[in-house]
Amino acid sequence: MKIIVLVKHVPDAQFDRHLTGEGNTTDRSESILSELDEYALEAALQLIEARGGEAAGNKVIALSMGPAGAVNAVKKSLQIGASEGVHLSDDALAGSDAAATSLALAAAIRHLGADTPADLILTGMASTDGETSLVPAQLAERLDLPQVTFASSLELDGATLTARRDGDAHADTVEATLPALVSVTDQINDPRYPNFKGIMAAKKKTITTLSLADIGVDPAHVGRSGSWTAVESAEARPARTAGTIITDEGDAGIKLVEFLAAQKLL
Amino acid sequence: MAKVLVFIDNPGQALKKASLELLTIARSLGEPAVALNGDLHDDVAATLGAYGAQTLYRPSAADLDDYLVGPKASYLAAAVQTADATVVLTENSAEAKEIAARLGIKLGAGVITDVVAVDPDGTAHKSVLAGSYITTAKATTPVAVLTVKANSITPEPAVTGTAPATVTVEVPETATAASARITARNEKAASGRPDLAEARIVVAGGRGVDGNFGPVEDLADALGAAIGASRAATDAGWIGHDAQIGQTGKTVSPQLYISAGISGAIQQKAGMQTATVIVAVNKDSESPIFEIADFGIVGDLFQVLPQATEEIKKRRG
C-alpha cells in the first residue's frame, strides 16, 4: 500500500513564537517537525509494517510544503522511517491560508498518485503553529475522499478502515473505504525516535523537490494573493506578570478564598 | 442587509449558551437565519425567534448524524445558497470547524477559526500562537465562514422577537457518497459539571494530584466549575482525555483558572494563559506556572484545596 503522510516544519512550541514582517507570518527560524505529525508518521509505519513493510512493496511518503527549511521536517521523517520524501517548495506559496495550502497539497497528492494513487493520506490532528485543523478536512473535500478525522485508533481490514473518534459528549466508531484521508490525535500511539540505523539509512533515501509548475498549480491561486482570508493586523499580547506569591503557613486555603472574594469571583 | 446564517447542529431540548451567543453576533452583522440539523423542539423554535432568527432551515435528510462531517457540509452549503447568506457562523468545536472547512471549499469562502469577536464589517478578532498574539483577519471572498469560541459575548434576546418561518433545504443526493459512516456511538456519562470549553471557572489538576482528583473535584463543585487536567494527568489515566488543557488538548479562556499540582510547562500554558485570573497551587516554588499566576500558593494542594473548599462552604452558610 502507498501512504502519504503530511509533515509540517513548525516553530518549536517550547520557545516563545513570533509573528514577523509582511502579512504577519510566523517566524520559522527555530523550527522542528510538528510534534503532532509524528503520530501520523508512526501510524503509517505501523500499517505498512503489519503488511510486510517496504519489502512487500509498501511505502510511506513524507510530504511537506514550506520554505527551504521545511526540508528538515522531511529529513526527520526519513530518519524515523518514511520510505521517501517530497518537499513542495515555491516562493509563491508564502502566506498561503488553509484554503490555498489545501489547494497546493491536493495538487501535490494528485501528482504523487499519477501512476499509483495513494491508498491513504495521513495527517496530524492540527499543526502546532496555525492550529486551525482546517487543512485535513479541506484536503478531503478537494480530493473527494472520505475523511476520518481525530482518530484515536485505526484498524485496516482489506479496504475497510475503522477508527475511534472521541468527542466531548460521545465516542464514535467510524468506518470508511479506502482511499481515505485520516487525521490522528496524540492518543493513537507512542511515536518512535530515530535511531542510529535510521539516521544512516535516511542518508540514502531520496527527497524530491516539487515546484508549483511541477504540480500544475497557477501561482495566483496560492500564497497571499490566492488566499481567501487575510490577516490585517497582529499585536503581541502583553506578557502576563507574576502576581502575589505566598507560602502556605497553614491558612493558604483561606487566603485563597479571600483573594477570590476580593476579585468578586465567588 | 447582509444575511447571516447560524449553523446549529442538534440543538436538543434547549439551546446552549454558545448558540445564543452566535445569534447575538449574527444580529450585529445583519439579518439572522438559522440552519439546523436534528430535531426542532417548540421551545427551541421559540427561543430562536426571541433571538431574532427570521427563517429556520432544516435538511430534507434525517440521517446526517450517521456520517462524519461531509454530508453536513453539503447540507449547509445548500442552506447558504437558499438563504443567500454572506456570513456563516458556527461554534468552534472540532466537528463544527471541519464542517466550516469543507463548506469553505464548496463555496469558495474564506474560513476563520477561533474567533473571539466580530466587528459589524465582518472583521474577526482571534488570538494565535497560544494566546501570545491578537490578530484581526477578514475573509476576502463574497461569503465568510467564522467559527466563534464560546464565551465571546453576553447573549441578549432581540428587542422584537420573530415567529420564524421553517424552510426545508434539499440535501444533495451525492452528499453521503464519499463519507465515513458512524457505525457505533457511545454517549459519555454527563458529569453535571459545566462544559469545559464554556465554563466561567476551571479547576485543573496535574502531576501533583498523584492519581487523586478528589480535592480538585470538591473545589470545582464548590465553585460550580469545570474540571481540567494537564497532559501528565490524562496520560497517567487519572482522568479522561477530554479534560486535557494545553496545546494538544483544549484551549480555555475562563474568568478564573485554578491550577493545582501543574508545573505550567509552555504546552500547558498554551491552553490557559488567556484566562482573566490565574491561581496556582504547587509545592515547587520554581514552577513556571508562578510566572503567570495572579495569586500563587507554594504549598501542598491536599492541604490548600480542601481548606479553600471548606471556607467557601462556610461563607455560603
Side-chain angles (χ1 to χ4, degrees), chain B residues 121-157:
Chain B
D121 72 348
T123 301
H125 300 250
K126 62 183 279 183
S127 76
V128 300
L129 293 180
S132 52
Y133 284 82
I134 313 282
T135 62
T136 60
K138 214 169 173 180
T140 55
T141 46
V143 179
V145 182
L146 311 178
T147 74
V148 184
K149 291 179 90 160
N151 288 327
S152 293
I153 192 174
T154 305
E156 278 170 32

PDB file of all heavy atoms in Angstrom, chain B residues 121-157:
ATOM      1  N   ASP B 121     -18.373  45.119  10.347  1.00  0.00           N
ATOM      2  CA  ASP B 121     -17.956  44.979   8.938  1.00  0.00           C
ATOM      3  C   ASP B 121     -17.397  43.576   8.644  1.00  0.00           C
ATOM      4  O   ASP B 121     -16.889  43.336   7.550  1.00  0.00           O
ATOM      5  CB  ASP B 121     -16.927  46.054   8.568  1.00  0.00           C
ATOM      6  CG  ASP B 121     -15.563  45.801   9.216  1.00  0.00           C
ATOM      7  OD1 ASP B 121     -15.479  44.928  10.118  1.00  0.00           O
ATOM      8  OD2 ASP B 121     -14.587  46.459   8.823  1.00  0.00           O
ATOM      9  N   GLY B 122     -17.469  42.675   9.609  1.00  0.00           N
ATOM     10  CA  GLY B 122     -17.037  41.301   9.361  1.00  0.00           C
ATOM     11  C   GLY B 122     -15.597  41.018   9.749  1.00  0.00           C
ATOM     12  O   GLY B 122     -15.128  39.890   9.627  1.00  0.00           O
ATOM     13  N   THR B 123     -14.884  42.029  10.228  1.00  0.00           N
ATOM     14  CA  THR B 123     -13.511  41.791  10.682  1.00  0.00           C
ATOM     15  C   THR B 123     -13.544  40.911  11.937  1.00  0.00           C
ATOM     16  O   THR B 123     -14.268  41.197  12.889  1.00  0.00           O
ATOM     17  CB  THR B 123     -12.810  43.126  11.019  1.00  0.00           C
ATOM     18  OG1 THR B 123     -12.818  43.940   9.841  1.00  0.00           O
ATOM     19  CG2 THR B 123     -11.370  42.895  11.466  1.00  0.00           C
ATOM     20  N   ALA B 124     -12.766  39.838  11.900  1.00  0.00           N
ATOM     21  CA  ALA B 124     -12.768  38.888  13.011  1.00  0.00           C
ATOM     22  C   ALA B 124     -11.523  39.062  13.857  1.00  0.00           C
ATOM     23  O   ALA B 124     -10.435  39.302  13.343  1.00  0.00           O
ATOM     24  CB  ALA B 124     -12.831  37.467  12.465  1.00  0.00           C
ATOM     25  N   HIS B 125     -11.698  38.959  15.162  1.00  0.00           N
ATOM     26  CA  HIS B 125     -10.571  39.034  16.091  1.00  0.00           C
ATOM     27  C   HIS B 125     -10.304  37.641  16.635  1.00  0.00           C
ATOM     28  O   HIS B 125     -11.230  36.925  16.989  1.00  0.00           O
ATOM     29  CB  HIS B 125     -10.900  39.971  17.260  1.00  0.00           C
ATOM     30  CG  HIS B 125     -11.198  41.377  16.826  1.00  0.00           C
ATOM     31  ND1 HIS B 125     -10.344  42.414  17.078  1.00  0.00           N
ATOM     32  CD2 HIS B 125     -12.234  41.899  16.131  1.00  0.00           C
ATOM     33  CE1 HIS B 125     -10.852  43.543  16.575  1.00  0.00           C
ATOM     34  NE2 HIS B 125     -12.008  43.243  15.995  1.00  0.00           N
ATOM     35  N   LYS B 126      -9.039  37.249  16.692  1.00  0.00           N
ATOM     36  CA  LYS B 126      -8.716  35.953  17.272  1.00  0.00           C
ATOM     37  C   LYS B 126      -7.364  36.024  17.947  1.00  0.00           C
ATOM     38  O   LYS B 126      -6.585  36.955  17.693  1.00  0.00           O
ATOM     39  CB  LYS B 126      -8.758  34.856  16.197  1.00  0.00           C
ATOM     40  CG  LYS B 126      -7.759  35.027  15.061  1.00  0.00           C
ATOM     41  CD  LYS B 126      -7.941  33.923  14.012  1.00  0.00           C
ATOM     42  CE  LYS B 126      -7.267  32.646  14.418  1.00  0.00           C
ATOM     43  NZ  LYS B 126      -7.363  31.576  13.409  1.00  0.00           N
ATOM     44  N   SER B 127      -7.079  35.060  18.817  1.00  0.00           N
ATOM     45  CA  SER B 127      -5.747  35.035  19.402  1.00  0.00           C
ATOM     46  C   SER B 127      -5.023  33.827  18.837  1.00  0.00           C
ATOM     47  O   SER B 127      -5.615  32.776  18.619  1.00  0.00           O
ATOM     48  CB  SER B 127      -5.808  35.040  20.924  1.00  0.00           C
ATOM     49  OG  SER B 127      -6.162  33.801  21.432  1.00  0.00           O
ATOM     50  N   VAL B 128      -3.739  34.004  18.524  1.00  0.00           N
ATOM     51  CA  VAL B 128      -2.964  32.946  17.874  1.00  0.00           C
ATOM     52  C   VAL B 128      -1.678  32.672  18.647  1.00  0.00           C
ATOM     53  O   VAL B 128      -1.337  33.399  19.581  1.00  0.00           O
ATOM     54  CB  VAL B 128      -2.610  33.316  16.399  1.00  0.00           C
ATOM     55  CG1 VAL B 128      -3.875  33.543  15.593  1.00  0.00           C
ATOM     56  CG2 VAL B 128      -1.715  34.532  16.332  1.00  0.00           C
ATOM     57  N   LEU B 129      -0.966  31.640  18.210  1.00  0.00           N
ATOM     58  CA  LEU B 129       0.266  31.202  18.854  1.00  0.00           C
ATOM     59  C   LEU B 129       0.087  31.134  20.369  1.00  0.00           C
ATOM     60  O   LEU B 129       0.779  31.786  21.135  1.00  0.00           O
ATOM     61  CB  LEU B 129       1.451  32.094  18.463  1.00  0.00           C
ATOM     62  CG  LEU B 129       1.890  32.017  16.996  1.00  0.00           C
ATOM     63  CD1 LEU B 129       3.069  32.942  16.733  1.00  0.00           C
ATOM     64  CD2 LEU B 129       2.228  30.599  16.570  1.00  0.00           C
ATOM     65  N   ALA B 130      -0.887  30.312  20.748  1.00  0.00           N
ATOM     66  CA  ALA B 130      -1.144  30.047  22.164  1.00  0.00           C
ATOM     67  C   ALA B 130      -1.447  31.310  22.956  1.00  0.00           C
ATOM     68  O   ALA B 130      -1.023  31.469  24.093  1.00  0.00           O
ATOM     69  CB  ALA B 130       0.028  29.293  22.777  1.00  0.00           C
ATOM     70  N   GLY B 131      -2.173  32.231  22.331  1.00  0.00           N
ATOM     71  CA  GLY B 131      -2.596  33.416  23.052  1.00  0.00           C
ATOM     72  C   GLY B 131      -1.537  34.492  23.150  1.00  0.00           C
ATOM     73  O   GLY B 131      -1.722  35.491  23.835  1.00  0.00           O
ATOM     74  N   SER B 132      -0.406  34.321  22.445  1.00  0.00           N
ATOM     75  CA  SER B 132       0.640  35.336  22.571  1.00  0.00           C
ATOM     76  C   SER B 132       0.417  36.524  21.638  1.00  0.00           C
ATOM     77  O   SER B 132       1.034  37.569  21.815  1.00  0.00           O
ATOM     78  CB  SER B 132       2.026  34.722  22.365  1.00  0.00           C
ATOM     79  OG  SER B 132       2.088  33.990  21.180  1.00  0.00           O
ATOM     80  N   TYR B 133      -0.459  36.386  20.649  1.00  0.00           N
ATOM     81  CA  TYR B 133      -0.793  37.492  19.751  1.00  0.00           C
ATOM     82  C   TYR B 133      -2.304  37.598  19.576  1.00  0.00           C
ATOM     83  O   TYR B 133      -3.011  36.591  19.600  1.00  0.00           O
ATOM     84  CB  TYR B 133      -0.200  37.277  18.342  1.00  0.00           C
ATOM     85  CG  TYR B 133       1.276  37.537  18.260  1.00  0.00           C
ATOM     86  CD1 TYR B 133       2.188  36.565  18.647  1.00  0.00           C
ATOM     87  CD2 TYR B 133       1.750  38.759  17.801  1.00  0.00           C
ATOM     88  CE1 TYR B 133       3.551  36.793  18.588  1.00  0.00           C
ATOM     89  CE2 TYR B 133       3.114  39.001  17.730  1.00  0.00           C
ATOM     90  CZ  TYR B 133       4.010  38.023  18.123  1.00  0.00           C
ATOM     91  OH  TYR B 133       5.342  38.263  18.061  1.00  0.00           O
ATOM     92  N   ILE B 134      -2.766  38.839  19.386  1.00  0.00           N
ATOM     93  CA  ILE B 134      -4.151  39.074  18.994  1.00  0.00           C
ATOM     94  C   ILE B 134      -4.096  39.517  17.538  1.00  0.00           C
ATOM     95  O   ILE B 134      -3.361  40.451  17.209  1.00  0.00           O
ATOM     96  CB  ILE B 134      -4.780  40.243  19.793  1.00  0.00           C
ATOM     97  CG1 ILE B 134      -4.493  40.106  21.280  1.00  0.00           C
ATOM     98  CG2 ILE B 134      -6.264  40.359  19.510  1.00  0.00           C
ATOM     99  CD1 ILE B 134      -5.337  39.124  21.988  1.00  0.00           C
ATOM    100  N   THR B 135      -4.856  38.873  16.680  1.00  0.00           N
ATOM    101  CA  THR B 135      -4.852  39.290  15.272  1.00  0.00           C
ATOM    102  C   THR B 135      -6.260  39.663  14.837  1.00  0.00           C
ATOM    103  O   THR B 135      -7.245  39.234  15.438  1.00  0.00           O
ATOM    104  CB  THR B 135      -4.345  38.176  14.339  1.00  0.00           C
ATOM    105  OG1 THR B 135      -5.223  37.050  14.441  1.00  0.00           O
ATOM    106  CG2 THR B 135      -2.935  37.742  14.688  1.00  0.00           C
ATOM    107  N   THR B 136      -6.330  40.482  13.792  1.00  0.00           N
ATOM    108  CA  THR B 136      -7.608  40.681  13.121  1.00  0.00           C
ATOM    109  C   THR B 136      -7.453  40.114  11.723  1.00  0.00           C
ATOM    110  O   THR B 136      -6.390  40.231  11.107  1.00  0.00           O
ATOM    111  CB  THR B 136      -8.008  42.164  13.025  1.00  0.00           C
ATOM    112  OG1 THR B 136      -7.005  42.855  12.289  1.00  0.00           O
ATOM    113  CG2 THR B 136      -8.146  42.793  14.388  1.00  0.00           C
ATOM    114  N   ALA B 137      -8.487  39.467  11.249  1.00  0.00           N
ATOM    115  CA  ALA B 137      -8.445  38.858   9.922  1.00  0.00           C
ATOM    116  C   ALA B 137      -9.793  39.043   9.263  1.00  0.00           C
ATOM    117  O   ALA B 137     -10.805  39.270   9.926  1.00  0.00           O
ATOM    118  CB  ALA B 137      -8.114  37.378  10.046  1.00  0.00           C
ATOM    119  N   LYS B 138      -9.776  38.981   7.930  1.00  0.00           N
ATOM    120  CA  LYS B 138     -11.015  39.166   7.197  1.00  0.00           C
ATOM    121  C   LYS B 138     -11.040  38.189   6.037  1.00  0.00           C
ATOM    122  O   LYS B 138     -10.002  37.915   5.437  1.00  0.00           O
ATOM    123  CB  LYS B 138     -11.059  40.605   6.669  1.00  0.00           C
ATOM    124  CG  LYS B 138     -12.439  41.186   6.622  1.00  0.00           C
ATOM    125  CD  LYS B 138     -12.403  42.672   6.364  1.00  0.00           C
ATOM    126  CE  LYS B 138     -13.830  43.155   6.166  1.00  0.00           C
ATOM    127  NZ  LYS B 138     -13.878  44.580   5.905  1.00  0.00           N
ATOM    128  N   ALA B 139     -12.216  37.663   5.732  1.00  0.00           N
ATOM    129  CA  ALA B 139     -12.350  36.856   4.526  1.00  0.00           C
ATOM    130  C   ALA B 139     -12.370  37.815   3.337  1.00  0.00           C
ATOM    131  O   ALA B 139     -12.992  38.878   3.401  1.00  0.00           O
ATOM    132  CB  ALA B 139     -13.626  36.044   4.578  1.00  0.00           C
ATOM    133  N   THR B 140     -11.661  37.448   2.259  1.00  0.00           N
ATOM    134  CA  THR B 140     -11.599  38.314   1.081  1.00  0.00           C
ATOM    135  C   THR B 140     -12.571  37.835   0.008  1.00  0.00           C
ATOM    136  O   THR B 140     -12.520  38.278  -1.126  1.00  0.00           O
ATOM    137  CB  THR B 140     -10.168  38.313   0.507  1.00  0.00           C
ATOM    138  OG1 THR B 140      -9.787  36.948   0.260  1.00  0.00           O
ATOM    139  CG2 THR B 140      -9.180  38.930   1.475  1.00  0.00           C
ATOM    140  N   THR B 141     -13.437  36.905   0.378  1.00  0.00           N
ATOM    141  CA  THR B 141     -14.361  36.268  -0.562  1.00  0.00           C
ATOM    142  C   THR B 141     -15.783  36.799  -0.346  1.00  0.00           C
ATOM    143  O   THR B 141     -16.062  37.385   0.706  1.00  0.00           O
ATOM    144  CB  THR B 141     -14.354  34.747  -0.287  1.00  0.00           C
ATOM    145  OG1 THR B 141     -14.449  34.544   1.126  1.00  0.00           O
ATOM    146  CG2 THR B 141     -13.057  34.113  -0.783  1.00  0.00           C
ATOM    147  N   PRO B 142     -16.694  36.567  -1.295  1.00  0.00           N
ATOM    148  CA  PRO B 142     -18.071  37.068  -1.131  1.00  0.00           C
ATOM    149  C   PRO B 142     -18.784  36.487   0.090  1.00  0.00           C
ATOM    150  O   PRO B 142     -19.633  37.152   0.692  1.00  0.00           O
ATOM    151  CB  PRO B 142     -18.768  36.626  -2.424  1.00  0.00           C
ATOM    152  CG  PRO B 142     -17.665  36.425  -3.427  1.00  0.00           C
ATOM    153  CD  PRO B 142     -16.461  36.002  -2.640  1.00  0.00           C
ATOM    154  N   VAL B 143     -18.441  35.249   0.457  1.00  0.00           N
ATOM    155  CA  VAL B 143     -19.031  34.647   1.656  1.00  0.00           C
ATOM    156  C   VAL B 143     -17.915  34.424   2.678  1.00  0.00           C
ATOM    157  O   VAL B 143     -16.813  34.008   2.315  1.00  0.00           O
ATOM    158  CB  VAL B 143     -19.710  33.293   1.323  1.00  0.00           C
ATOM    159  CG1 VAL B 143     -20.303  32.658   2.585  1.00  0.00           C
ATOM    160  CG2 VAL B 143     -20.780  33.468   0.254  1.00  0.00           C
ATOM    161  N   ALA B 144     -18.205  34.708   3.946  1.00  0.00           N
ATOM    162  CA  ALA B 144     -17.224  34.478   5.010  1.00  0.00           C
ATOM    163  C   ALA B 144     -17.776  33.424   5.966  1.00  0.00           C
ATOM    164  O   ALA B 144     -18.956  33.434   6.287  1.00  0.00           O
ATOM    165  CB  ALA B 144     -16.964  35.770   5.770  1.00  0.00           C
ATOM    166  N   VAL B 145     -16.924  32.506   6.408  1.00  0.00           N
ATOM    167  CA  VAL B 145     -17.325  31.471   7.362  1.00  0.00           C
ATOM    168  C   VAL B 145     -16.496  31.655   8.632  1.00  0.00           C
ATOM    169  O   VAL B 145     -15.266  31.615   8.582  1.00  0.00           O
ATOM    170  CB  VAL B 145     -17.090  30.056   6.789  1.00  0.00           C
ATOM    171  CG1 VAL B 145     -17.549  28.994   7.782  1.00  0.00           C
ATOM    172  CG2 VAL B 145     -17.807  29.890   5.445  1.00  0.00           C
ATOM    173  N   LEU B 146     -17.174  31.907   9.751  1.00  0.00           N
ATOM    174  CA  LEU B 146     -16.468  32.172  11.003  1.00  0.00           C
ATOM    175  C   LEU B 146     -16.874  31.154  12.059  1.00  0.00           C
ATOM    176  O   LEU B 146     -18.064  30.901  12.257  1.00  0.00           O
ATOM    177  CB  LEU B 146     -16.798  33.583  11.521  1.00  0.00           C
ATOM    178  CG  LEU B 146     -16.686  34.755  10.531  1.00  0.00           C
ATOM    179  CD1 LEU B 146     -17.098  36.054  11.219  1.00  0.00           C
ATOM    180  CD2 LEU B 146     -15.266  34.873  10.006  1.00  0.00           C
ATOM    181  N   THR B 147     -15.892  30.542  12.718  1.00  0.00           N
ATOM    182  CA  THR B 147     -16.208  29.662  13.850  1.00  0.00           C
ATOM    183  C   THR B 147     -15.831  30.421  15.113  1.00  0.00           C
ATOM    184  O   THR B 147     -14.708  30.888  15.260  1.00  0.00           O
ATOM    185  CB  THR B 147     -15.476  28.311  13.763  1.00  0.00           C
ATOM    186  OG1 THR B 147     -14.093  28.479  14.082  1.00  0.00           O
ATOM    187  CG2 THR B 147     -15.584  27.703  12.357  1.00  0.00           C
ATOM    188  N   VAL B 148     -16.806  30.575  16.015  1.00  0.00           N
ATOM    189  CA  VAL B 148     -16.673  31.509  17.138  1.00  0.00           C
ATOM    190  C   VAL B 148     -16.564  30.737  18.452  1.00  0.00           C
ATOM    191  O   VAL B 148     -17.354  29.839  18.732  1.00  0.00           O
ATOM    192  CB  VAL B 148     -17.894  32.457  17.192  1.00  0.00           C
ATOM    193  CG1 VAL B 148     -17.721  33.488  18.296  1.00  0.00           C
ATOM    194  CG2 VAL B 148     -18.092  33.149  15.843  1.00  0.00           C
ATOM    195  N   LYS B 149     -15.575  31.120  19.249  1.00  0.00           N
ATOM    196  CA  LYS B 149     -15.375  30.457  20.541  1.00  0.00           C
ATOM    197  C   LYS B 149     -16.498  30.823  21.507  1.00  0.00           C
ATOM    198  O   LYS B 149     -17.019  31.940  21.468  1.00  0.00           O
ATOM    199  CB  LYS B 149     -14.033  30.876  21.149  1.00  0.00           C
ATOM    200  CG  LYS B 149     -12.848  30.323  20.382  1.00  0.00           C
ATOM    201  CD  LYS B 149     -11.545  30.776  20.979  1.00  0.00           C
ATOM    202  CE  LYS B 149     -11.077  29.794  22.035  1.00  0.00           C
ATOM    203  NZ  LYS B 149      -9.619  29.959  22.283  1.00  0.00           N
ATOM    204  N   ALA B 150     -16.825  29.870  22.376  1.00  0.00           N
ATOM    205  CA  ALA B 150     -17.835  30.130  23.404  1.00  0.00           C
ATOM    206  C   ALA B 150     -17.312  31.205  24.355  1.00  0.00           C
ATOM    207  O   ALA B 150     -16.106  31.409  24.466  1.00  0.00           O
ATOM    208  CB  ALA B 150     -18.127  28.843  24.175  1.00  0.00           C
ATOM    209  N   ASN B 151     -18.231  31.884  25.038  1.00  0.00           N
ATOM    210  CA  ASN B 151     -17.892  32.951  25.987  1.00  0.00           C
ATOM    211  C   ASN B 151     -17.284  34.174  25.324  1.00  0.00           C
ATOM    212  O   ASN B 151     -16.480  34.876  25.915  1.00  0.00           O
ATOM    213  CB  ASN B 151     -16.914  32.451  27.063  1.00  0.00           C
ATOM    214  CG  ASN B 151     -17.592  31.526  28.040  1.00  0.00           C
ATOM    215  OD1 ASN B 151     -18.768  31.701  28.335  1.00  0.00           O
ATOM    216  ND2 ASN B 151     -16.871  30.531  28.512  1.00  0.00           N
ATOM    217  N   SER B 152     -17.648  34.396  24.042  1.00  0.00           N
ATOM    218  CA  SER B 152     -17.103  35.561  23.347  1.00  0.00           C
ATOM    219  C   SER B 152     -17.948  36.802  23.599  1.00  0.00           C
ATOM    220  O   SER B 152     -17.476  37.920  23.457  1.00  0.00           O
ATOM    221  CB  SER B 152     -17.028  35.289  21.846  1.00  0.00           C
ATOM    222  OG  SER B 152     -16.069  34.287  21.592  1.00  0.00           O
ATOM    223  N   ILE B 153     -19.215  36.632  23.923  1.00  0.00           N
ATOM    224  CA  ILE B 153     -20.133  37.761  24.034  1.00  0.00           C
ATOM    225  C   ILE B 153     -21.232  37.362  25.023  1.00  0.00           C
ATOM    226  O   ILE B 153     -21.461  36.171  25.239  1.00  0.00           O
ATOM    227  CB  ILE B 153     -20.723  38.082  22.632  1.00  0.00           C
ATOM    228  CG1 ILE B 153     -21.468  39.412  22.605  1.00  0.00           C
ATOM    229  CG2 ILE B 153     -21.611  36.965  22.124  1.00  0.00           C
ATOM    230  CD1 ILE B 153     -21.924  39.802  21.198  1.00  0.00           C
ATOM    231  N   THR B 154     -21.887  38.359  25.631  1.00  0.00           N
ATOM    232  CA  THR B 154     -23.025  38.049  26.502  1.00  0.00           C
ATOM    233  C   THR B 154     -24.274  37.953  25.639  1.00  0.00           C
ATOM    234  O   THR B 154     -24.619  38.903  24.949  1.00  0.00           O
ATOM    235  CB  THR B 154     -23.216  39.158  27.558  1.00  0.00           C
ATOM    236  OG1 THR B 154     -21.980  39.317  28.258  1.00  0.00           O
ATOM    237  CG2 THR B 154     -24.311  38.792  28.544  1.00  0.00           C
ATOM    238  N   PRO B 155     -24.958  36.802  25.636  1.00  0.00           N
ATOM    239  CA  PRO B 155     -26.126  36.664  24.770  1.00  0.00           C
ATOM    240  C   PRO B 155     -27.258  37.584  25.201  1.00  0.00           C
ATOM    241  O   PRO B 155     -27.512  37.738  26.400  1.00  0.00           O
ATOM    242  CB  PRO B 155     -26.541  35.194  24.945  1.00  0.00           C
ATOM    243  CG  PRO B 155     -25.590  34.572  25.886  1.00  0.00           C
ATOM    244  CD  PRO B 155     -24.693  35.612  26.451  1.00  0.00           C
ATOM    245  N   GLU B 156     -27.902  38.198  24.224  1.00  0.00           N
ATOM    246  CA  GLU B 156     -29.054  39.063  24.524  1.00  0.00           C
ATOM    247  C   GLU B 156     -30.165  38.809  23.523  1.00  0.00           C
ATOM    248  O   GLU B 156     -29.892  38.780  22.316  1.00  0.00           O
ATOM    249  CB  GLU B 156     -28.640  40.540  24.436  1.00  0.00           C
ATOM    250  CG  GLU B 156     -27.975  41.051  25.687  1.00  0.00           C
ATOM    251  CD  GLU B 156     -27.365  42.428  25.491  1.00  0.00           C
ATOM    252  OE1 GLU B 156     -27.926  43.201  24.690  1.00  0.00           O
ATOM    253  OE2 GLU B 156     -26.328  42.693  26.121  1.00  0.00           O
ATOM    254  N   PRO B 157     -31.404  38.646  23.981  1.00  0.00           N
ATOM    255  CA  PRO B 157     -32.505  38.466  23.030  1.00  0.00           C
ATOM    256  C   PRO B 157     -32.711  39.720  22.191  1.00  0.00           C
ATOM    257  O   PRO B 157     -32.286  40.808  22.579  1.00  0.00           O
ATOM    258  CB  PRO B 157     -33.723  38.199  23.924  1.00  0.00           C
ATOM    259  CG  PRO B 157     -33.252  38.197  25.321  1.00  0.00           C
ATOM    260  CD  PRO B 157     -31.842  38.660  25.372  1.00  0.00           C
TER     261      PRO B 157
END
